[in-house]
């Protein structure tokens, strides 16, 4: 689908929806969010979220901002003990983030255009850390 999107055969919205659906299924995530890079403002805006769409995060701040700056995957097995994790969003939404994996979405030329974040891997009703295989998916 990504190649079809580049050719203009499908919209970016369809591509993002496909990516999110795949992330839910492959990663067993309770929630999946997509942050879009705003290069002019040097921030990310939360484009796809169950309850915090529109939220803005400076590039370099928090988990998503760090992933956008470094272009590296971050796998955080215990968010409550991570210095990068911003508890403000959990307080705002009432959601309890325990584990997460966050990956950059790269464009041609090695620049991130978005960041995808999966929260709380849940298998048989039990929340568990994402593993290395999840981070590579």
């Amino acid at each position: 689908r990504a190649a079809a999107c580049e050719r203009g055969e499908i919209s970016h919205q369809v591509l993002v929806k496909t990516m999110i659906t795949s992330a839910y299924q492959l990663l067993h995530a309770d929630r999946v969010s997509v942050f879009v890079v705003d290069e002019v403002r040097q921030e990310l805006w939360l484009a796809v979220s169950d309850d915090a769409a529109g939220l803005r995060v400076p590039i370099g701040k928090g988990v998503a901002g760090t992933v956008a700056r470094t272009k590296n995957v971050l796998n955080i097995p215990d968010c409550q003990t991570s210095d990068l994790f911003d508890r403000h969003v959990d307080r705002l939404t009432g959601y309890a983030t325990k584990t997460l994996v966050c990956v950059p979405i790269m464009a041609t030329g090695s620049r991130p255009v978005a960041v995808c974040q999966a929260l709380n891997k849940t298998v048989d009703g039990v929340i568990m850390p994402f593993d290395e295989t999840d981070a590579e998916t």
Side-chain angles (χ1 to χ4, degrees):
R1 285 193 180 233
C5 185
E6 286 182 16
R7 292 190 307 266
E9 295 172 12
I10 60 175
S11 72
H12 289 289
Q13 291 174 335
V14 171
L15 182 62
V16 169
K17 185 175 180 177
T18 300
M19 178 182 65
I20 288 173
T21 300
S22 297
Y24 273 113
Q25 293 170 349
L26 295 170
L27 301 174
H28 304 284
D30 183 51
R31 294 203 177 171
V32 177
S33 302
V34 174
F35 294 83
V36 176
V37 174
D38 181 338
E39 291 181 3
V40 173
R41 292 183 173 187
Q42 285 296 291
E43 62 186 12
L44 304 170
W45 60 275
L46 190 50
V48 179
S49 168
D50 288 336
D51 51 16
L55 179 79
R56 293 188 172 267
V57 177
I59 291 177
K61 182 179 182 211
V63 176
T66 299
V67 168
R69 168 142 305 142
T70 65
K71 305 175 200 165
N72 294 321
V73 173
L74 278 178
N75 183 358
I76 301 181
D78 182 359
C79 294
Q80 301 307 312
T81 61
S82 171
D83 292 336
L84 288 176
F85 182 71
D86 183 356
R87 289 155 193 80
H88 168 75
V89 178
D90 274 5
R91 285 191 297 270
L92 177 74
T93 63
Y95 186 75
T97 305
K98 298 183 185 303
T99 67
L100 71 79
V101 64
C102 191
V103 299
I105 300 168
M106 306 301 286
T108 307
S110 298
R111 65 179 178 81
V113 294
V115 170
C116 183
Q117 185 170 272
L119 308 178
N120 292 353
K121 178 179 180 176
T122 306
V123 178
D124 296 326
V126 177
I127 295 173
M128 59 184 52
F130 293 92
D131 58 33
E132 288 182 33
T133 305
D134 295 325
E136 294 171 1
T137 302

